[in-house]
Amino acid sequence: MLAEPIQQALHRQFGQMLLARGGSAVPAAYHLLRGARPGDAQALAALDRAVTELVPFAPPAAAELATGALALTLPSDPARPTRTAAAVRALTAAGQWDEAETLVRSALAVPLPAGEGAALRGALASLLALTGRAAEAMTEAQTVLTNSGVPADLRDDATVALLWAWLGLRGNRQVDQLA
């Protein structure tokens, strides 16, 4: 019965109260998603934490939060590529591969500095390896690994995607040899 702006304000306030209690950001996430305004840095940071917490245990919920956080992220926000990569990883974990690929390819369609593109290319490499496109996955992973400014965690993710892709290619060759 309350007007939408009042509902939004109450959700934001309740989400902030839950965050202030400390601990997991997950209980506050729904309220923050409903109450945050675009560009709300505090709410977006909490949503990012909630996505990280949820991906291993509830990928569909993490994907919903990640795409919601991305929708609240301003185009000029420097965290946009990282948040997009997190959304791609959550969508991939949730088995929403088409949505993940559409999102990552649209993000990579605009020019990005090498460091910002690395997270996206690493997420794409993992998705491609998972969906059986090993040659494409290897190309994306190698692009990440040849960039010297990539942080260690992204290099590790790209290395894992490269290994999965290599195993996929090797498996395809063995299947071809049996045929």
Side-chain angles (χ1 to χ4, degrees):
M1 300 302 287
L2 296 174
E4 185 63 33
I6 294 172
Q7 288 182 33
Q8 185 178 15
L10 288 172
H11 276 293
R12 187 177 193 296
Q13 186 175 24
F14 191 61
Q16 294 300 328
M17 287 174 25
L18 290 171
L19 284 176
R21 291 182 8 195
S24 173
V26 173
Y30 168 78
H31 297 287
L32 293 173
L33 200 55
R34 298 267 329 260
R37 291 196 171 107
D40 183 338
Q42 186 180 17
L44 288 168
L47 288 168
D48 292 342
R49 279 190 9 235
V51 168
T52 301
E53 292 174 29
L54 280 173
V55 165
F57 307 105
E64 183 179 340
L65 285 180
T67 55
L70 189 57
L72 291 169
T73 303
L74 298 174
S76 60
D77 189 330
R80 189 167 184 83
T82 303
R83 197 164 285 129
T84 302
V88 170
R89 291 187 187 285
L91 287 164
T92 300
Q96 298 175 30
W97 299 334
D98 291 338
E99 295 89 342
E101 186 168 358
T102 299
L103 179 59
V104 73
R105 290 205 186 272
S106 67
L108 286 169
V110 298
L112 294 169
E116 292 178 6
L120 293 167
R121 291 203 177 279
L124 178 57
S126 297
L127 172 64
L128 292 169
L130 182 64
T131 57
R133 293 177 282 167
E136 292 176 74
M138 288 182 91
T139 300
E140 295 297 337
Q142 287 171 335
T143 300
V144 173
L145 293 171
T146 56
N147 182 340
S148 61
V150 174
D153 62 329
L154 294 179
R155 293 183 72 74
D156 291 347
D157 289 347
T159 301
V160 169
L162 183 64
L163 291 172
W164 278 114
W166 182 80
L167 287 171
L169 280 178
R170 188 170 166 85
N172 287 342
R173 285 190 189 124
Q174 288 175 348
V175 169
D176 291 344
Q177 289 172 357
L178 292 174

